[in-house]
């Protein structure tokens, strides 16, 4: 089980690394697009669309690593007031009842959406637009990555309850 969690953590790290670079690349493309639009009155739908592709990649590829690093958004009604052991049980409940079923369902729903686009070589309806399947591929990929990271986090919580490992359950609510 430990090997599984290490492999999944590594996959999430790679996806997160790509997402981090997409942030920089999206900023550069966005700035470059604005500069050429205002300096030489040139614009391209392809440049605008690639920015949206990168924004989608940032969110969907970065979500699994965000979960792995325990930086995800929580609804903190009790979490900060309870013991570490109770936090583990809350996480197990949340992963089992909410995260894993929803991510499995979203992966299932978005796969045909991507695959039909890939098979038909779907193009943007905008003049100079891009092919659509790479952006649509981010959906099932991102949801599947979050699903397997959820499985790994569930396994870690169970191992921590059994005393096999120690994980940090500390959560600091953001300032309001």
């Amino acid at each position: 089980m430990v090997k599984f969690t290490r492999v999944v953590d590594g996959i999430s790290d790679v996806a997160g690394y790509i997402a981090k670079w997409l942030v920089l690349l999206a900023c550069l493309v966005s700035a470059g697009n604005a500069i050429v639009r205002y300096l030489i009155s040139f614009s391209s739908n392809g440049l605008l669309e690639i920015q949206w592709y990168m924004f989608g990649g940032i969110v969907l590829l970065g979500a699994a690593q965000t979960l792995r690093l325990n930086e995800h958004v929580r609804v903190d009604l009790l979490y900060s007031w309870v013991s570490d052991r109770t936090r583990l049980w809350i996480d197990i409940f949340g992963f089992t009842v909410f995260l894993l079923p929803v991510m499995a369902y979203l992966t299932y729903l978005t796969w045909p959406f991507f695959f039909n686009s890939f098979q038909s070589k779907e193009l943007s309806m905008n003049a100079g637009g891009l092919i659509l399947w790479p952006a649509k591929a981010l959906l099932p990929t991102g949801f599947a990555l979050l699903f397997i990271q959820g499985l790994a986090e569930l396994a870690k919580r169970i191992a921590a309850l059994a005393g096999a490992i120690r994980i940090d359950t500390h959560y600091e609510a953001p300032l309001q």
Side-chain angles (χ1 to χ4, degrees), residues 101-117:
V102 170
M103 289 305 108
Y105 187 58
L106 288 173
T107 303
Y108 169 78
L109 287 178
T110 58
W111 177 258
F113 181 68
F114 150 70
F115 193 70
N116 291 337
S117 180

Side-chain angles (χ1 to χ4, degrees), residues 81-149:
W81 299 97
V82 297
S83 69
D84 285 346
R85 188 163 185 80
T86 304
R87 287 180 187 164
L88 293 171
W89 280 109
I90 290 170
D91 286 346
I92 289 170
F93 177 79
F95 292 147
T96 306
V97 174
F98 297 111
L99 180 74
L100 293 175
V102 170
M103 289 305 108
Y105 187 58
L106 288 173
T107 303
Y108 169 78
L109 287 178
T110 58
W111 177 258
F113 181 68
F114 150 70
F115 193 70
N116 291 337
S117 180
F118 177 76
Q119 280 188 318
S120 67
K121 298 180 175 85
E122 184 181 12
L123 295 172
S124 169
M125 293 176 62
N126 296 319
L130 304 175
I131 55 174
L132 292 176
W133 69 261
K136 290 183 177 185
L138 289 169
L139 292 166
T141 302
F143 294 138
L145 285 170
L146 197 48
F147 177 81
I148 63 169
Q149 187 63 51

